[in-house]
Amino acid sequence: MEKKVRLLIGKVGLDGHDRGVKIVARALRDAGFEVIYTGLHQTPEAIVNMAIQEGVDAIGLSILSGAHLELFERVLHLLKEKGATIPVFGGGIIPPEDIVALKKMGVKEAFTPGALTDQIVKWIEDNIVPQSL
Amino acid sequence: MGTSPTLNTTSLSGIPFETFYDERDIEGFDYQAKLGDPGTFPFTRGIHGDMYRGRLWTMRQFAGFGTASDTNARFRYLLSQGQTGLSVAFDMPTLMGFDSDHPSSLGEVGKCGVAVDSIEDMDELFAEIPVGEVSTSMTINCTAPIVFAMYLALAKRRGVPLSSLKGTLQNDMLKEFIAQKEWIYPIEPSLKLTIDIVEFCTNHVPLWNTISISGYHIREAGSTAVQELAFTLSDGLEYVKRAIGRGLGVDQFAGRYSFFFNAHIDFFEEIAKYRAARRVWAREMKERYGVKDERSLWMRFHTQTAGCSLTAQQPHNNIVRTAIEALAAVLGGTQSLHTNSLDETYALPTEFAATLALRTQQVLAYETGVPSTGDPLGGSYFIESLTDEIEGRAMDYIRRIDEYGGMVPAIEAGFPQKEIQEAACLYQNELNQGKRTVVGVNAFASDEDESIPLLRVGRKQQEEQIRKVRELRARRSNAAAQKGLDALKRAAEQGENLIPALVLAVESLATLGEVAKALQDVYGKYREVSYI
């Protein structure tokens, strides 16, 4: 039997805008992925610990406060420090040139307002594979 | 993507629109009972008889970024361009009670607003701005008492009497637990602090608008117009009940409660929403609380165009959306307006984009002729029918919240949160399925890159702010700051009104983060149960 893709979807940083992340989390769950939602106001440390403990196949983070460069950088750094190779993607209020910077940093993809959930589902299907057991 | 996009025949709240409306849709319509002239009960047509001829709406653009001096420069620019009131946007650490050098502030300092760590930042923010003359709106909630204490302390420093201060604090914690989700303390102590501000202002700062009861964030979180109206009014009724519980007479404080609504893209539904809001508020205040002063019946409100209606795709289209939404707000009789900038799905607005947004209001005010006549759509079969429909649907929600025992038990049961989340998902599904059209998103999409210049808030400003707060802690008398914090904690433990102790604490140069933490030691922390 094919293993389900398991995703950690979360809010990192201080902003409380969770409309988008919850819609995405639900759409991903409805599309058949296993979704763990972190709740609001998580630190990068908490996100990385949860992702490793839960053995997820990817981490999706939502940031709408403008702190995306620093917070993604910190999450990627902590993952590397712990020797984890979990792909990270995200979304939020992110200017195009920052998306370029994020990708250079190692973030796999970043979605902005106006992205349809179908596009996000398709991106996961095309890019995230379940880790071997 | 479909080639023939859907035309909407139901409102964003799901109210079906007829092909046309006639007298059968407003059967038995009673002008006096339903409308009354502008300035008369139930104020459906507006709270003032002369409407915008007497006083135009306040053009109040929300602004804030970087350090206090960056934002001060933007404020002085906006005032020089004809803006008539200030509105402060704070950064996330200030909104959540963290100093700029706290680990949780990583990357957030000065990003979505201005960083304020101490009274010294507050002083810089209002440099060369006469605080006794301008009216200042501050969008701040769980840390509202701390930031307000800084503003009061600043007025004292400058010899400005508190009785001359004009402005608004958002200070609406109920909608935080429902929608915006910026909190520190549990619900009860949060509301205690809200009412401390109401009580203090009633006695000492009489021109201050103590709570801006906000539907804006409820709508941005995905609610319908009906839910926005209903949840906001239920929040308002809760704040009235609690201030009365504090021993204040309703006519002492109710006139200083104001409201804050969203202006979304569904044009007629929005206009009907504002009209219904005024009518329901006036009636409920009269029936529930026996209000005598007419001002306590007035729903005065600020409006902001809908951030969530803007798109990252084809961002110039956002100028058009914002203009239409602003028109709805004005036709609905708003007292004050913020128009969003075209670039806000990417970043805080550039000076150019913010100016264009202000110019949109100026065109509306001075070129279109729209403000000359109060409630110009009153009497339209369609508008009156829609106003009644929205009122009826909102009252159903308000009654359900009453059945919970008011908004606090309703929030504890997750009721408004779930209703909003369901509405948000429904809307997203409609977009995905092409049942609802958004130009540039699921119709008329374009592959051409439409890039626009954006405002950058660099790391330099963050480093500068961190340096400033550390320098302050090194320079001040730590013993004095500690004494201020200890006195605050004692006052909190004894259940006193905390505003005087907060003023003393910030005057002793205790920082925002230290004050927030001191109160957290007494009150504890709110934990949300979240679900998807």
Side-chain angles (χ1 to χ4, degrees):
Chain A
M1 205 178 79
E2 202 184 335
K3 187 176 175 288
K4 261 190 182 180
V5 168
R6 193 168 155 84
L7 303 166
L8 185 77
I9 300 296
K11 285 292 292 182
V12 62
L14 297 178
D15 88 81
H17 300 88
D18 61 358
R19 172 185 183 165
V21 74
K22 284 183 158 189
I23 285 177
V24 170
R26 190 187 285 196
L28 294 173
R29 193 188 62 193
D30 292 348
F33 305 117
E34 217 179 307
V35 174
I36 302 158
Y37 173 58
T38 65
L40 286 166
H41 308 143
Q42 301 296 326
T43 60
E45 287 75 8
I47 293 282
V48 167
N49 289 340
M50 265 186 266
I52 291 171
Q53 277 166 20
E54 296 284 350
V56 297
D57 303 309
I59 303 171
L61 298 175
S62 157
I63 304 169
L64 283 86
S65 67
H68 43 268
L69 290 176
E70 290 85 349
L71 290 172
F72 275 111
E73 190 176 45
R74 180 94 186 123
V75 167
L76 291 170
H77 172 80
L78 289 168
L79 283 170
K80 199 171 169 191
E81 212 174 64
K82 292 178 190 270
T85 53
I86 308 169
V88 176
F89 66 102
I93 302 287
I94 305 177
E97 61 174 273
D98 286 3
I99 294 181
V100 175
L102 288 173
K103 286 187 176 170
K104 213 175 268 175
M105 198 187 281
V107 174
K108 300 292 177 207
E109 189 55 272
F111 297 93
T112 55
L116 295 173
T117 48
D118 292 353
Q119 295 164 346
I120 302 173
V121 168
K122 180 158 188 329
W123 183 84
I124 305 261
E125 284 169 349
D126 293 347
N127 292 280
I128 304 298
V129 285
Q131 290 175 345
S132 52
L133 291 168
Chain B
M1 294 297 135
T3 45
S4 55
T6 310
L7 279 176
N8 300 327
T9 55
T10 58
S11 78
L12 282 175
S13 291
I15 299 170
F17 290 149
E18 304 298 330
T19 315
F20 72 98
Y21 289 75
D22 62 22
E23 67 253 19
R24 287 166 297 183
D25 295 294
I26 54 165
E27 221 184 311
F29 186 80
D30 179 341
Y31 179 81
Q32 286 306 332
K34 290 263 187 187
L35 303 185
D37 291 344
T40 66
F41 188 82
F43 304 101
T44 312
R45 310 201 67 184
I47 58 172
H48 300 304
D50 54 4
M51 284 308 294
Y52 293 131
R53 288 190 191 209
R55 188 175 173 190
L56 200 62
W57 68 88
T58 305
M59 298 180 190
R60 197 190 286 280
Q61 298 294 92
F62 190 41
F65 60 95
T67 63
S69 63
D70 296 327
T71 299
N72 175 262
R74 176 68 69 88
F75 280 168
R76 286 193 282 143
Y77 170 78
L78 287 168
L79 290 171
S80 76
Q81 293 300 302
Q83 173 161 312
T84 47
L86 294 176
S87 176
V88 191
F90 295 98
D91 70 357
M92 287 310 312
T94 307
L95 292 171
M96 293 290 286
F98 294 107
D99 284 338
S100 295
D101 61 342
H102 190 280
S104 291
S105 304
L106 174 73
E108 312 264 17
V109 177
K111 278 288 170 62
C112 65
V114 58
V116 172
D117 288 314
S118 71
I119 183 179
E120 296 192 349
D121 292 333
M122 192 61 110
D123 205 346
E124 219 177 301
L125 184 59
F126 288 95
E128 292 174 55
I129 295 171
V131 292
E133 291 164 34
V134 292
S135 102
T136 304
S137 170
M138 292 187 248
T139 297
I140 193 134
N141 295 280
C142 58
T143 50
I146 308 172
V147 166
F148 187 50
M150 289 180 189
Y151 197 72
L152 296 175
L154 175 65
K156 280 172 69 187
R157 260 190 188 188
R158 295 188 184 179
V160 174
L162 300 189
S163 59
S164 70
L165 293 181
K166 289 191 297 278
T168 304
L169 278 178
Q170 195 160 80
N171 191 30
D172 173 6
M173 283 308 298
L174 287 169
K175 69 92 175 53
E176 294 297 330
F177 296 114
I178 296 171
Q180 184 166 245
K181 313 205 167 176
E182 289 158 15
W183 51 60
I184 306 174
Y185 320 116
I187 298 179
E188 282 304 326
S190 294
L191 294 179
K192 178 246 185 288
L193 288 167
T194 301
I195 302 301
D196 278 1
I197 291 171
V198 173
E199 185 181 39
F200 185 86
C201 289
T202 302
N203 295 325
H204 305 287
V205 201
L207 302 180
W208 200 270
N209 295 311
T210 53
I211 313 179
S212 173
I213 306 157
S214 303
Y216 186 82
H217 319 81
I218 290 172
R219 193 67 183 279
E220 291 289 303
S223 86
T224 64
V226 167
Q227 290 166 349
E228 177 193 358
L229 172 55
F231 298 159
T232 307
L233 294 190
S234 286
D235 288 349
L237 294 170
E238 184 69 34
Y239 292 128
V240 172
K241 192 169 79 187
R242 283 177 183 253
I244 291 172
R246 188 64 75 88
L248 298 172
V250 66
D251 287 316
Q252 281 181 285
F253 68 84
R256 284 289 160 200
Y257 280 5
S258 62
F259 288 81
F260 174 21
F261 289 111
N262 199 295
H264 214 294
I265 196 69
D266 194 328
F267 189 69
F268 292 110
E269 179 168 77
E270 293 301 279
I271 297 167
K273 176 186 76 184
Y274 307 122
R275 300 175 85 249
R278 276 190 297 268
R279 183 155 79 205
V280 174
W281 184 249
R283 190 185 56 227
E284 294 299 310
M285 286 297 281
K286 202 169 203 173
E287 287 176 2
R288 290 184 192 220
Y289 298 111
V291 163
K292 299 216 169 49
D293 185 346
E294 196 170 79
R295 284 171 170 271
S296 312
L297 301 172
W298 290 358
M299 165 171 280
R300 296 174 302 131
F301 64 95
H302 172 68
T303 306
Q304 180 172 340
T305 57
C308 63
S309 72
L310 305 185
T311 62
Q313 297 94 328
Q314 305 177 19
H316 291 101
N317 298 348
N318 295 333
I319 303 170
V320 181
R321 294 189 178 101
T322 297
I324 293 168
E325 292 164 357
L327 177 60
V330 169
L331 290 173
T334 194
Q335 273 62 57
S336 161
L337 182 60
H338 168 105
T339 32
N340 288 329
S341 299
L342 74 122
D343 49 1
E344 293 190 41
T345 56
Y346 289 112
L348 292 188
T350 61
E351 193 161 280
F352 171 80
T355 307
L356 182 60
L358 177 61
R359 296 285 182 255
T360 306
Q361 293 199 40
Q362 290 164 338
V363 168
L364 188 51
Y366 299 107
E367 294 185 15
T368 63
V370 167
S372 60
T373 301
D375 189 34
L377 298 181
S380 145
Y381 299 128
F382 177 38
I383 284 292
E384 297 305 347
S385 160
L386 197 53
T387 303
D388 287 354
E389 183 68 29
I390 288 175
E391 177 183 4
R393 290 181 183 220
M395 285 310 298
D396 287 344
Y397 267 120
I398 291 170
R399 277 188 284 270
R400 284 175 75 182
I401 291 161
D402 286 343
E403 282 162 19
Y404 275 101
M407 197 39 120
V408 172
I411 290 170
E412 285 166 348
F415 173 67
Q417 301 96 307
K418 283 177 195 156
E419 290 291 308
I420 294 167
Q421 200 171 321
E422 290 311 312
C425 284
L426 189 68
Y427 176 75
Q428 190 64 39
N429 288 340
E430 287 180 348
L431 281 188
N432 281 337
Q433 294 158 12
K435 287 184 186 162
R436 219 166 258 287
T437 302
V438 178
V439 172
V441 174
N442 64 356
F444 314 109
S446 151
D447 292 332
E448 256 174 70
D449 186 28
E450 203 179 300
S451 72
I452 51 172
L454 297 173
L455 179 81
R456 309 287 318 172
V457 180
R459 295 189 188 202
K460 223 178 84 197
Q461 281 137 310
Q462 300 195 44
E463 286 157 15
E464 166 65 10
Q465 189 63 26
I466 290 169
R467 188 196 61 73
K468 272 170 67 186
V469 67
R470 290 188 172 153
E471 185 271 326
L472 171 83
R473 280 199 220 98
R475 165 166 49 88
R476 71 179 182 191
S477 155
N478 284 326
Q482 194 54 52
K483 205 174 136 203
L485 292 169
D486 290 343
L488 175 66
K489 278 194 192 180
R490 273 197 306 279
E493 278 155 5
Q494 287 162 12
E496 292 171 20
N497 185 314
L498 293 189
I499 305 302
L502 282 164
V503 171
L504 292 175
V506 301
E507 280 177 338
S508 75
L509 299 182
T511 62
L512 175 119
E514 291 166 341
V515 174
K517 176 71 172 56
L519 291 179
Q520 195 185 312
D521 290 345
V522 179
Y523 292 141
K525 210 167 157 34
Y526 180 70
R527 301 247 172 251
E528 187 193 44
V529 182
S530 60
Y531 45 84
I532 54 171

